[in-house]
């Protein structure tokens, strides 16, 4: 339907009522030039949201009604309809405010509503929605309360549905938790009432459009050049590597960086709950787990995918994170010719990571003796790379440990590199340095056997 025709069908009384409502609010500022300048040039986004909430709601409703009768609508069409409607009904609104209103409505129709501006903000690394009225963001490792808000609980639920529906996932009373991803690969977790008492909760872990490189991590101070050289040689030389760390420590980012060293002539199979790895190689097969359907059937777990991956002739298997029984299958894959595999796990130290691996293997329900599980770990894993987020928000590789074998029923390890904290600077930032322990790892022979050189100078203190 033509917009002008639709406008003509509106009653003159409705038009008059709208005009009076805005005229009493906008020109009042314009009559005073000083206040008008402040309104046009320095008004905060928060005030704009409050002033135009009704205008945005009405325009959104009317434009959505028009769009429902049209086919093959583009984002440009949406923008044109919004601007025409505002011009016809609210000519008093200034250009800057009209731009804000138009963008807000476009985000509601074609994007993720109020979250869109946070997603497009390159300084934001994580978004945490705690109900409709409280949204925190992480900037430079620190949490900050944002002034962005949802209209109500229903508004939050609409945005969650918009995220999960294209992925074939659902969230409702019978399935109140869901993991998903955005188009750019950002990881999303959502949980709704009655489990979330403060209202529907969304957590978005953003990822850069351009994957980070090892040079970026060195520039950020996350590791030293010697550690970078050793890890690159380890990946190229087909060491099995476990990246360990706490929540938000940068495990997946480091896994992405390490995977970039896998040669381009190898077949790589990636397995994740919600696909977020971005490998640059040509021959990559990405697999993603699937939750159960409405009938409670059809679930495909990480363990199912690991088992299936073994039949896909992979040169490397990269598992985004091991959390349960799939750990046993992963270790068996590493022990049966799939060297050079990578994965991550939640743990606070390398020794804790090995203990967690044992616990997760037991979750496979195979009733294996502890000694047999530890032998599997010692035979499968070569390195544990410990990643941490320090109190100042910085992320560091705090330790690189080698698994050297077994002594009795104990897994033996030796630390190759570590991060030493020297103190705090005047900005309350940690000051420290990376150092080698002076130990030449036994895995150097395996790396050299696979045709990759190791520089022994990496392992000696200067």
């Amino acid at each position: 339907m033509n917009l002008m025709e639709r406008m003509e069908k509106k009653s003159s009384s409705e038009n008059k009522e709208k005009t009076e409502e805005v005229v009493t609010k906008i020109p009042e500022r314009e009559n005073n030039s000083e206040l008008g300048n402040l309104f046009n040039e320095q008004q905060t986004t928060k005030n704009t949201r409050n002033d135009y909430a009704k205008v945005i709601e009405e325009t959104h409703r009317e434009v959505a009604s028009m769009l429902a009768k049209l086919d093959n609508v583009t984002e440009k069409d949406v923008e044109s309809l919004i601007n025409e409607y505002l011009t016809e009904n609210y000519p008093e609104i200034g250009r800057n405010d009209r731009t804000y209103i138009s963008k807000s409505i476009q985000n509601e129709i074609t994007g993720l509503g109020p979250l869109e501006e946070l997603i497009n903000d390159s300084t934001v690394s994580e978004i945490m929605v705690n109900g409709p009225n409280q949204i925190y963001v992480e900037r430079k490792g620190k949490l900050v309360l944002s002034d962005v808000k949802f209209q109500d609980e229903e508004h939050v639920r609409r945005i969650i549905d918009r995220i999960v529906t294209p992925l074939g996932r659902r969230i409702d009373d019978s399935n109140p938790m869901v993991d998903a991803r955005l188009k750019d690969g950002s990881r999303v977790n959502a949980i709704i009432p009655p489990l979330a008492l403060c209202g529907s909760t969304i957590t978005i872990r953003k990822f850069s459009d351009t994957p980070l490189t090892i040079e970026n991590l060195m520039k950020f101070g996350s590791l030293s050049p010697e550690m970078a050289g050793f890890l690159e040689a380890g990946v190229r030389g087909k060491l099995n590597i476990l990246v360990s760390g706490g929540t938000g420590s940068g495990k997946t980012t480091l896994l992405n960086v390490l995977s970039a060293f896998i040669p381009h002539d190898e077949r790589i199979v990636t397995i994740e709950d919600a696909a977020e790895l971005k490998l640059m190689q040509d021959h990559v097969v990405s697999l993603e787990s699937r939750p159960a359907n409405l009938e409670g059937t059809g679930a495909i777990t990480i363990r199912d995918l690991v088992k299936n991956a073994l039949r896909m002739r992979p040169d490397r298997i990269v598992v985004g994170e091991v959390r349960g029984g799939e750990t046993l299958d992963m270790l068996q894959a590493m022990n049966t010719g799939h060297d050079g595999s990578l994965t991550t796990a939640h743990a606070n130290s390398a020794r804790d990571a090995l203990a967690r691996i044992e616990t997760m293997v037991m979750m496979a329900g195979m009733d294996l003796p502890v000694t047999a599980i530890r032998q599997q770990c010692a035979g499968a894993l070569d390195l544990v790379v410990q990643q941490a987020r320090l109190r100042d928000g910085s992320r560091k590789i705090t330790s690189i440990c080698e698994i050297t074998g077994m002594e009795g029923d104990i897994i033996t390890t030796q630390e190759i590199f570590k991060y030493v904290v020297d103190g705090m600077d005047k900005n309350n930032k940690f000051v420290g340095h990376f150092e080698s322990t002076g130990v030449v790892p036994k895995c150097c022979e395996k790396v050299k056997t696979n045709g990759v050189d190791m520089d022994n100078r990496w392992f000696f203190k200067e």
Side-chain angles (χ1 to χ4, degrees):
M1 177 184 289
N2 182 276
L3 180 65
M4 294 301 296
E5 293 178 355
R6 188 175 184 85
M7 294 303 101
E8 290 172 358
K9 289 184 178 181
K10 284 183 168 290
S11 66
S12 58
S13 60
E14 289 177 339
N15 287 336
K16 182 179 179 181
E17 183 180 345
K18 291 173 192 169
T19 302
E20 289 176 351
E21 181 182 350
V22 177
V23 167
T24 57
K25 184 166 60 175
I26 306 299
E28 185 177 359
R29 295 186 177 103
E30 294 178 342
N31 287 337
N32 186 310
S33 60
E34 184 176 345
L35 290 177
N37 290 334
L38 179 64
F39 175 71
N40 290 324
E41 298 176 9
Q42 300 179 349
Q43 183 184 34
T44 65
T45 305
K46 184 175 181 180
N47 288 338
T48 304
R49 288 194 186 97
N50 294 334
D51 288 344
Y52 294 114
K54 291 183 178 179
V55 177
I56 292 172
E57 182 180 357
E58 178 201 312
T59 307
H60 179 205
R61 183 176 62 251
E62 292 297 326
V63 171
S65 177
M66 289 183 246
L67 291 172
K69 301 178 181 180
L70 301 175
D71 296 323
N72 302 321
V73 179
T74 66
E75 291 189 11
K76 194 69 176 177
D77 296 330
V78 174
E79 183 180 2
S80 297
L81 285 174
I82 294 170
N83 288 332
E84 288 180 30
Y85 185 89
L86 291 173
T87 300
E88 287 287 333
N89 292 271
Y90 298 101
E92 302 86 358
I93 296 179
R95 184 177 62 181
N96 291 341
D97 293 337
R98 184 177 301 180
T99 300
Y100 164 74
I101 294 171
S102 177
K103 189 63 179 176
S104 297
I105 298 170
Q106 287 181 69
N107 289 341
E108 285 295 333
I109 295 175
T110 63
L112 297 179
L115 296 182
E116 197 70 28
E117 64 179 271
L118 299 178
I119 292 171
N120 294 329
D121 187 343
S122 60
T123 66
V124 173
S125 57
E126 200 153 356
I127 303 167
M128 289 144 279
V129 179
N130 304 331
N133 298 316
Q134 189 181 68
I135 301 178
Y136 281 89
V137 298
E138 182 185 78
R139 286 189 172 96
K140 297 181 179 180
K142 295 293 185 179
L143 294 182
V144 180
L145 180 62
S146 166
D147 61 0
V148 176
K149 294 183 180 181
F150 287 87
Q151 296 168 6
D152 49 33
E153 173 66 17
E154 182 184 352
H155 191 193
V156 185
R157 292 288 292 272
R158 286 202 308 270
I159 298 303
I160 295 175
D161 288 336
R162 189 172 296 176
I163 293 172
V164 304
T165 301
L167 303 177
R169 304 195 175 196
R170 63 186 177 85
I171 186 165
D172 50 37
D173 291 341
S174 63
N175 186 49
M177 299 181 291
V178 68
D179 287 315
R181 68 180 187 279
L182 302 182
K183 292 179 181 179
D184 64 359
S186 298
R187 185 171 62 199
V188 181
N189 174 270
I191 181 169
I192 62 174
L195 275 62
L197 301 182
C198 61
S200 295
T201 301
I202 309 172
T203 307
I204 300 176
R205 178 79 54 79
K206 288 176 57 181
F207 288 94
S208 172
D209 293 334
T210 304
L212 295 177
T213 64
I214 198 75
E215 289 78 15
N216 294 135
L217 296 189
M218 286 191 288
K219 183 179 178 181
F220 298 154
S222 296
L223 76 169
S224 68
E226 292 78 16
M227 295 164 70
F230 175 63
L231 290 175
E232 178 178 356
V235 174
R236 294 186 185 279
K238 291 198 166 186
L239 298 184
N240 293 319
I241 300 175
L242 170 67
V243 178
S244 165
T247 301
S249 60
K251 298 185 298 299
T252 304
T253 298
L254 180 57
L255 189 65
N256 249 326
V257 170
L258 296 180
S259 66
F261 298 131
I262 299 175
H264 284 260
D265 59 352
E266 296 187 14
R267 176 175 169 85
I268 309 166
V269 178
T270 69
I271 301 169
E272 302 173 84
D273 263 335
E276 52 189 308
L277 293 174
K278 294 182 179 180
L279 275 65
M280 296 293 101
Q281 291 83 348
D282 296 326
H283 199 167
V284 178
V285 179
S286 299
L287 306 179
E288 187 178 56
S289 64
R290 184 181 72 186
N293 58 22
L294 287 169
E295 289 76 33
T297 60
I300 305 295
T301 65
I302 293 289
R303 188 174 188 187
D304 295 328
L305 295 177
V306 172
K307 290 179 179 178
N308 190 78
L310 298 177
R311 307 185 187 102
M312 298 173 66
R313 198 265 178 209
D315 291 308
R316 312 261 189 155
I317 298 176
V318 181
V319 179
E321 182 181 344
V322 287
R323 298 189 183 100
E326 69 273 4
T327 308
L328 174 60
D329 302 286
M330 186 71 189
L331 293 177
Q332 289 178 330
M334 291 176 172
N335 271 320
T336 55
H338 297 92
D339 286 338
S341 295
L342 309 170
T343 190
T344 74
H346 279 83
N348 293 323
S349 68
R351 181 56 65 180
D352 287 346
L354 295 176
R356 279 216 70 214
I357 292 291
E358 290 180 30
T359 302
M360 291 187 286
V361 169
M362 293 177 184
M363 295 168 65
M366 298 296 291
D367 196 26
L368 295 172
V370 173
T371 302
I373 295 173
R374 291 176 180 174
Q375 287 174 341
Q376 284 272 353
C377 292
L381 295 171
D382 295 302
L383 296 177
V384 178
V385 181
Q386 185 65 33
Q387 179 88 6
R389 181 173 63 176
L390 306 183
R391 290 197 309 275
D392 63 357
S394 62
R395 292 173 171 86
K396 309 282 186 185
I397 294 179
T398 56
S399 175
I400 299 178
C401 284
E402 179 188 23
I403 312 299
T404 56
M406 295 276 293
E407 285 187 6
D409 59 351
I410 302 298
I411 300 174
T412 57
T413 65
Q414 59 182 10
E415 193 169 44
I416 311 301
F417 295 98
K418 62 182 178 180
Y419 177 69
V420 179
V421 177
D422 297 325
M424 306 281 285
D425 65 13
K426 61 182 181 180
N427 298 317
N428 290 325
K429 296 287 186 180
F430 280 102
V431 176
H433 65 278
F434 298 98
E435 66 179 31
S436 62
T437 59
V439 176
V440 178
K442 295 181 179 180
C443 61
C444 286
E445 291 303 318
K446 179 178 178 179
V447 173
K448 292 177 181 177
T449 301
N450 287 315
V452 179
D453 291 331
M454 279 276 195
D455 189 344
N456 284 343
R457 291 176 296 179
W458 293 335
F459 312 115
F460 296 104
K461 298 179 181 179
E462 296 182 357

